[in-house]
Amino acid sequence: MPRAKVQRKSTSIDMTAMCDVSFLLLTFFILTATARQPDPLDVTIPSSTYKIKVPDTDMGILSIGKGKVFYEILGQDIRKATLPKMGEKYNIQFTPEEIKRFSVVGSFGVPIESLKQFLSMNGDQRKKFQETSGGIPVDSTNNQLAEWLMQSRHSVAELHSTQMRVSIKGDANEEYPTVKKVVDILQKQKLNKFSLITSAEGSAQ
């Protein structure tokens, strides 16, 4: 008996629709993503053999170096909610545009009295401005860092119904008194559990 011939079909697949979807998704992510701002304070962090991933939400990061303290609040919604609270505390009225600008700011280290001027600058100007500033005040008579921590914690609790976690990124050569001031602020707010940001032991700094 003659063998039945199987009809061959083309194996080519029309990828036009897939390409359209891919470019639409790529465009969406590019337009909605926010570029991470470079750290204004160069910190040489100590090494450690213990590894754990730092969360990217509901977190406050304190950077300590050169006798200065910088603060970073993770989450645009948290930053938007925290700034008006700080403005109310210090009798400073922030405009919607300033709140929007603050929502995309990374780590910052300026007194709140200079924050309006800081927000009106571009990236390069902000970096130079922070190099000459003394960081966020932590003195007992003007402890603005304590207020930033308190108000950002309130914002996290209100918006996400959880407790804000805190990490400290300290320079390996930083003197003890500055670090102690920050730790004392945390303990006064009963934040006795916090993480230290380190690099993997043996990796390049």
Side-chain angles (χ1 to χ4, degrees):
M1 295 181 62
R3 292 181 61 183
K5 291 185 178 180
V6 179
Q7 185 179 2
R8 292 187 177 182
K9 296 182 179 179
S10 175
T11 57
S12 64
I13 301 174
D14 187 1
M15 298 293 292
T16 305
M18 181 66 73
C19 291
D20 288 344
V21 172
S22 299
F23 278 109
L24 283 172
L25 288 173
L26 181 61
T27 304
F28 170 78
F29 287 125
I30 290 174
L31 293 176
T32 58
T34 301
R36 180 173 175 80
Q37 301 293 323
D39 289 333
L41 181 65
D42 293 328
V43 175
T44 304
I45 56 179
S47 63
S48 171
T49 57
Y50 186 71
K51 296 181 180 179
I52 185 171
K53 187 178 183 300
V54 176
D56 54 4
T57 58
D58 304 329
M59 170 70 76
I61 300 177
L62 297 164
S63 299
I64 307 171
K66 301 177 182 177
K68 303 177 183 179
V69 181
F70 285 60
Y71 188 41
E72 180 177 5
I73 308 168
L74 300 188
Q76 289 192 22
D77 57 338
I78 304 301
R79 291 192 287 267
K80 284 182 178 179
T82 301
L83 187 58
K85 288 182 171 63
M86 289 295 294
E88 184 177 350
K89 177 70 179 180
Y90 288 93
N91 295 318
I92 301 174
Q93 186 70 37
F94 291 100
T95 66
E97 179 61 27
E98 289 169 338
I99 295 173
K100 182 180 179 181
R101 282 173 171 263
F102 183 75
S103 71
V104 296
V105 168
S107 181
F108 63 96
V110 297
I112 193 165
E113 296 83 4
S114 304
L115 194 56
K116 276 181 169 286
Q117 181 184 356
F118 172 75
L119 292 174
S120 66
M121 300 176 177
N122 59 36
D124 291 336
Q125 292 172 332
R126 289 175 184 174
K127 185 176 181 179
K128 291 179 181 178
F129 184 71
Q130 291 189 115
E131 287 174 354
T132 59
S133 74
I136 298 176
V138 294
D139 298 328
S140 57
T141 55
N142 185 24
N143 199 336
Q144 294 183 13
L145 180 62
E147 284 299 329
W148 277 113
L149 280 165
M150 181 66 70
Q151 300 306 330
S152 56
R153 291 177 65 197
H154 287 329
S155 297
V156 169
E158 292 170 3
L159 295 176
H160 299 168
S161 301
T162 187
Q163 291 186 354
M164 188 184 78
R165 290 162 289 188
V166 176
S167 285
I168 295 178
K169 183 167 65 173
D171 192 283
N173 301 315
E174 183 60 39
E175 295 182 359
Y176 177 70
T178 306
V179 179
K180 186 178 185 301
K181 285 181 180 180
V182 173
V183 174
D184 287 344
I185 291 171
L186 296 176
Q187 290 182 333
K188 285 181 181 179
Q189 296 190 18
K190 298 183 179 179
L191 284 170
N192 297 311
K193 185 178 180 181
F194 50 87
S195 57
L196 300 175
I197 297 178
T198 59
S199 63
E201 199 162 277
S203 65
Q205 297 295 322

